[in-house]
């Protein structure tokens, strides 16, 4: 069957990220708002970012999903690329298992990562960024 068939469905790993859809106030080492929304088809989740971090404005768009290059199978991991208003591109990998959200900087298993936990009612995600050699910070998202 053609890999672009209409019978393709978003993966269970992508469906799990539905809990992120909406607008969140971010506090901690970065402050501001992020908004998650599905692209039509729900194969990709978009994150709109308006934050201040270390005194710098961070404005950008992140596209989250499985890689699926021409003629190749769909990648196993949920990955993303973040594009910001100063020309940076940053790659991440996502995993949401139960109430635990992990976002690695770069590839899955990277020593730079965010680990957060959803509250029972789903209105907050509390955790922290961990950087190799230190310099991480606490970060909480509260649904608004």
């Amino acid at each position: 069957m053609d890999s672009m068939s209409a019978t393709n469905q978003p993966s269970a790993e992508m469906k799990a990220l539905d809990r992120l859809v909406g607008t969140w106030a971010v506090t901690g080492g970065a402050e501001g708002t992020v908004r998650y929304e599905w692209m039509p088809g729900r194969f990709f989740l978009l994150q709109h970012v308006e934050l201040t971090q270390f005194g710098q404005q961070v404005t950008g768009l992140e596209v989250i999903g499985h890689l699926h290059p021409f003629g190749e199978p769909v990648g196993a991991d949920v990955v993303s690329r973040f594009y910001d208003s100063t020309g940076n591109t940053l790659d991440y990998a996502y995993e949401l298992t139960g109430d635990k959200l992990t976002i690695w900087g770069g590839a899955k298993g990277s020593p730079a990562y965010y680990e957060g936990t959803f509250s029972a009612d789903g209105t907050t995600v509390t955790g922290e960024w961990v950087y190799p050699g230190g310099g991480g910070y606490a970060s909480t998202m509260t649904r608004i």
Side-chain angles (χ1 to χ4, degrees):
M1 183 176 284
D2 184 312
S3 66
M4 297 303 285
S5 165
T7 62
N8 284 351
Q9 293 294 314
S11 69
E13 293 84 1
M14 284 304 297
K15 289 178 181 176
L17 296 179
D18 193 56
R19 294 175 76 180
L20 291 170
V21 170
T23 303
W24 301 81
V26 177
T27 56
E31 307 268 335
T33 60
V34 296
R35 179 173 52 88
Y36 291 90
E37 66 177 344
W38 287 113
M39 262 183 70
R42 293 185 171 228
F43 287 96
F44 297 99
L45 187 63
L46 306 178
Q47 181 185 193
H48 302 270
V49 174
E50 294 281 344
L51 297 172
T52 301
Q53 182 179 29
F54 309 124
Q56 301 295 313
Q57 189 67 26
V58 180
T59 302
L61 173 68
E62 183 177 23
V63 180
I64 305 161
H66 293 277
L67 295 179
H68 191 186
F70 286 118
E72 295 183 26
V74 174
D77 294 336
V78 173
V79 297
S80 74
R81 177 157 286 169
F82 176 76
Y83 303 86
D84 77 13
S85 59
T86 61
N88 294 304
T89 59
L90 304 172
D91 292 335
Y92 296 93
Y94 275 70
E95 184 175 80
L96 179 53
T97 305
D99 288 331
K100 186 173 117 182
L101 173 65
T102 307
I103 305 169
W104 290 274
K108 192 172 180 178
S110 161
Y113 62 91
Y114 172 82
E115 190 171 285
T117 304
F118 277 85
S119 60
D121 65 4
T123 61
T124 62
V125 182
T126 305
E128 67 179 294
W129 280 97
V130 175
Y131 297 149
Y137 59 88
S139 182
T140 298
M141 296 194 316
T142 304
R143 192 178 292 279
I144 53 177

